[in-house]
Amino acid sequence: QVKLLAQVPPGLQFDSFPGPLTQVLMNIVNNAVVHAFADQQAPVITLTAEPASADRVCMRVQDNGCGIAETDLPRLFRPYERLEATDRTVEGTGLGLSNVKRLLDALLVSLQQRGQAVAALELWMKLDDRTTRTESVRPATPTVDAAQLLALVRLRLDALHLSAGIVTLRVSAEACAASSHQQQLFAMHARRDP
């Protein structure tokens, strides 16, 4: 059982996109839970947050797990990589979501420019044993939230029992009209992010 500690000053507030921020934190914590504590008897993950300046907050996630070898750091965000410290009994694709994120970002920009949202994603994979596989991911409601879509894709990929490694990945979207609230978020996002 992993102990999770939060060290956050009372009353700390900041303006952010809570969905993506939550997803980033969940992915980091989940990665630690799955990969960091193979031989740890008292696993602990600590989340800290503190003001970094008048308009910035610094957040850290630390654990007392096995860490990442310095030689593995350059491979950390490389697609299809599973680092040596990873427990090989834990299933996964080694995709790291880097390619899915790159493809999804381009799709979302295109959809936002047309005032549309994602109703479903289709993932087409060519495996190194020359077979292909198609998987579909459908959010509960149409969305333009990349973090939500990536979480759904990750869950789907983690559940797959592939016969071989992924050689080619194509992501396509089934689009629908974005809601008026989503349209407002598009406009606000464009103003906040240069």
Side-chain angles (χ1 to χ4, degrees):
Q1 185 169 355
V2 178
K3 185 175 186 178
L4 181 61
L5 302 175
Q7 298 174 349
V8 180
L12 180 66
Q13 295 182 6
F14 58 97
D15 183 22
S16 176
F17 292 103
L21 178 61
T22 300
Q23 190 60 50
V24 166
L25 292 172
M26 286 175 52
N27 284 343
I28 293 170
V29 169
N30 183 60
N31 195 62
V33 169
V34 171
H35 300 291
F37 301 121
D39 299 321
Q40 179 58 259
Q41 296 301 314
V44 177
I45 298 173
T46 305
L47 170 66
T48 60
E50 59 192 14
S53 68
D55 63 347
R56 301 220 183 256
V57 171
C58 177
M59 300 181 81
R60 289 185 188 91
V61 178
Q62 297 174 294
D63 64 65
N64 65 344
C66 61
I68 300 170
E70 192 171 336
T71 55
D72 284 336
L73 290 176
R75 299 172 41 217
L76 190 59
F77 296 105
R78 207 177 289 163
Y80 309 109
E81 291 277 348
R82 294 192 72 192
L83 303 181
E84 294 307 316
T86 299
D87 179 355
R88 296 298 177 185
T89 63
V90 176
E91 291 191 18
T93 63
L95 187 59
L97 295 183
S98 59
N99 272 351
V100 174
K101 183 181 182 326
R102 179 181 52 80
L103 296 167
L104 185 57
D105 285 346
L107 269 173
L108 289 176
V109 167
S110 175
L111 290 174
Q112 287 176 4
Q113 290 171 345
R114 294 186 305 211
Q116 295 180 314
V118 174
L121 287 176
E122 183 176 280
L123 309 170
W124 180 87
M125 295 163 275
K126 181 178 179 184
L127 307 180
D128 59 14
D129 66 0
R130 299 179 189 228
T131 61
T132 61
R133 181 149 182 180
T134 302
E135 294 290 327
S136 182
V137 175
R138 185 174 293 277
T141 59
T143 185
V144 291
D145 184 340
Q148 178 188 14
L149 292 166
L150 284 170
L152 292 171
V153 168
R154 180 179 181 174
L155 287 171
R156 179 59 52 91
L157 291 175
D158 285 349
L160 294 180
H161 300 284
L162 298 175
S163 59
I166 301 171
V167 175
T168 304
L169 173 68
R170 288 189 205 134
V171 178
S172 58
E174 176 187 322
C176 65
S179 70
S180 59
H181 177 70
Q182 289 168 330
Q183 292 288 347
Q184 290 171 348
L185 290 175
F186 297 162
M188 187 171 68
H189 179 72
R191 286 193 306 268
R192 288 178 61 162
D193 297 332

